Amino acid sequence: NYPWPALPSGADPAWLPPAPERGSLRLKLAGVGPLIDTVRAELAELTGAGAGQLVDGTAEADVVFTTADRADELASGDLAGFDVESAEGLSQEGFAVLRQAGRVAVVGGSDRGLLYGYHHWRRQLRNGTAADGPEAEIHAPATAIRMLNHWDNMAVHPVMGQVERGYSGGSLFYADGALREDLTRVHHYARLLASTGINRVALNNVNVGPLEATLLTERLGDVVRLAEIFRAQGIAVHLSVNFSSPMLLGGLPSADPADPDVAQWWSRTADAIYAEIPDFGGFLVKADSEGQPGPYRYGRDHAEGANMLARAVAPHGGLVFWRAFVYNHQQDWRDRSTDRARAAFDHFVPLDGGFDENVILQVKYGPMDFQVREPVSPVIGAMPGTRLAAEFQVTQEYTGQQKHACYLAPLWSQVLGFDFEGEDVGGGESRRVSGLVDAVVAVSNVGADEHWCGHPFAQANLFAFGRLAWDPALAPEDILREWVQSTYDDVELRDVVVELLRDSWQTYEDYTAPLGVGWMVRPGQHYGPDVDGYEYTPWGTYHFADREGIGVDRTVATGTGFTGQYPLPWAARYEQLDSCPDELLLFFHHVPYTHRLGSGETVIQHIYDTHFAGVERVEEMVAAWETVRHRAPAPVAQRVSERFAEQLRSAVEWRDQLTTYFSRKSGVADEHGRHIHP
Ligand code: GCU
């Protein structure tokens, strides 16, 4: 049996509040197995909270939960009358919801599928659609691997803190250099993830410090404990590993992937892990990136590095997630020929076809680094011989750090739906990002914070990520409704929160960086405006604003040639000024402030207008929130109000700094004569 310790009363249950509905449902569960026990514990929690009662034996049930392999056996009993045939051929993670005369059967393709089916039904119970609906709903995930990466450190890093780019307090897993004693919240976190379909997590930061490196060996016991908790929710754990581990931990003189002693050390280490954790997911590696060690140190390429690790875990069915985030972070700003946007493609595309079957190349969704707006990384369309993962940030490093309400599903949905052959040309599903990747991965936004995510509304992003990874075709607004219905009881509150969040990504873009230019943030911390903060740094992140104009010329004709990394029609669309989408104009082109966008506005007027409009929109959000805040649980109400106050302050700061900067640079007045600080 798998009972989990209860959250302390009053703790924020996020989107799994204990009682979706009070009622008299008779619930029956058939089957045995560890994940069946998890479903049983879920049902016990529901009935304990007043949703009905659990029945067994030959008692009649209103809702039956079972797996496809038992469907035949049950056809004459509990499943009599249901359209059981439509549940044939379910995938392992898939499930069917069958309905018959007010009764419901949830049939999993396996016990894991049943767990996902249970949560689907639970959401329907909550929004009142469980009993009436189609006779048979069939669901299966579009992407096999749906993963979160934790950038959690065990030791507190002097600059990055306990969680790198974490905005939710400390780590859920670690405190003060050790695994937490009390892992109650990890049980609930794992439940929250399973309820959205997440099936893998990496437990430590991709920048692996000396203490964290020991999770592989000395501290494996900590990983065993976490793996047990996640396993009960159908989630496999991974470790981020330091490429120099054979030196750091094994005392070897090198970590050269071509050295047989090195390969052997990794194999032995993997064997030891799998002896303790038979369903261990594998490794996640940041190599030759921002100072991390990697195969380049030994004159080897990334396929050689990745394959050596892959061979260590292959006998156990493990995977290696190898990140494509490799670029020169010590660039000279005077050098206009080096373009960070080109780097991943230049490093990895020549290696296509050279990676082992159990290597997954993990590519950030954009060519730079999680900016509020970037084109889709051309790497994803250029490596047909390599298994790929698209990497996102649920953590809001560049999108308001969970102080700003910024619902990111519309961004992710756009990326996953991007068709490398062009919508109108029609590559269709197979040339969409979602059809080209085996895995959808994101950096988690969760921490020890009492609301899990710092901003209670940032929970919507965590929920939405899992749902979109499961089904990239879901509409972001529908996911938002699902989340709000699961999370809050009050109907009016739900409507206003949907209204507030729906376009909040667009609003955030409006008052921050215009037209795809990115990077106008304070260096290091990445919060708040600093237009020239990165302009003369080694990071390769420039906007090149002068008195005439702004933007990065990445064309083949006169710029860095980055547009040439896309297939047609995108290469041509991005190359030509008149076909480049407005929202990405400054990513691809350097243009005069007076250049007219497709919308008819000039660039400078667009900058003024969006910044004024963005702040007005935040003011409206704050006002709308004030009308419903009393309908939210008191701690949520207070936290959201605090965050909105900061969002408004910050949005005003962004508007004022950006409008002043560009009016000074360009000397062009606002057509509408609004006040711009001199
Ligand atoms: C960003 C982020 C870093 C992180 C890096 C990565 O640059 O600011 O904190 O380590 O991405 O993805 O590896």
Side-chain angles (χ1 to χ4, degrees), residues 110-155:
S110 67
D111 48 358
R112 181 195 295 264
L114 180 61
L115 179 61
Y116 297 143
Y118 161 78
H119 281 291
H120 178 89
W121 168 83
R122 188 188 205 273
R123 283 193 287 272
Q124 295 186 329
L125 182 68
R126 170 87 175 178
N127 68 25
T129 59
D132 40 52
E135 228 172 79
E137 280 180 60
I138 308 292
H139 296 269
T143 321
I145 296 171
R146 307 173 299 278
M147 182 174 186
L148 284 166
N149 289 176
H150 278 266
W151 286 359
D152 296 26
N153 302 312
M154 297 192 82

Side-chain angles (χ1 to χ4, degrees), residues 6-11:
L7 274 178
S9 80

Side-chain angles (χ1 to χ4, degrees), residues 614-635:
V615 170
E616 278 165 28
R617 178 68 193 130
V618 178
E619 283 164 348
E620 285 165 19
M621 287 160 79
V622 173
W625 168 249
E626 285 307 316
T627 66
V628 290
R629 61 161 283 171
H630 61 282
R631 296 173 180 273

Side-chain angles (χ1 to χ4, degrees), residues 658-669:
L658 274 271
T659 52
T660 294
Y661 179 97
F662 286 104
S663 104
R664 285 183 188 168
K665 272 261 150 136
S666 69
V668 180

Side-chain angles (χ1 to χ4, degrees), residues 151 160 164-165 167 205-207 286 289-290 292 323 325 327 340 364 368-370 391 393 397-398 443 519 524-526 534 539:
W151 286 359
M160 294 297 174
E164 179 152 341
R165 310 306 181 186
Y167 311 105
N205 190 3
V206 289
N207 297 313
K286 173 176 179 177
S289 169
E290 301 184 328
Q292 292 296 310
R323 296 177 84 228
F325 185 58
Y327 70 100
R340 172 166 165 181
K364 290 192 182 185
M368 296 295 278
D369 196 4
F370 304 129
E391 182 181 321
Q393 266 192 341
E397 176 176 357
Y398 294 98
V443 184
W519 295 109
Q525 67 179 107
H526 300 164
Y534 270 114
W539 294 96

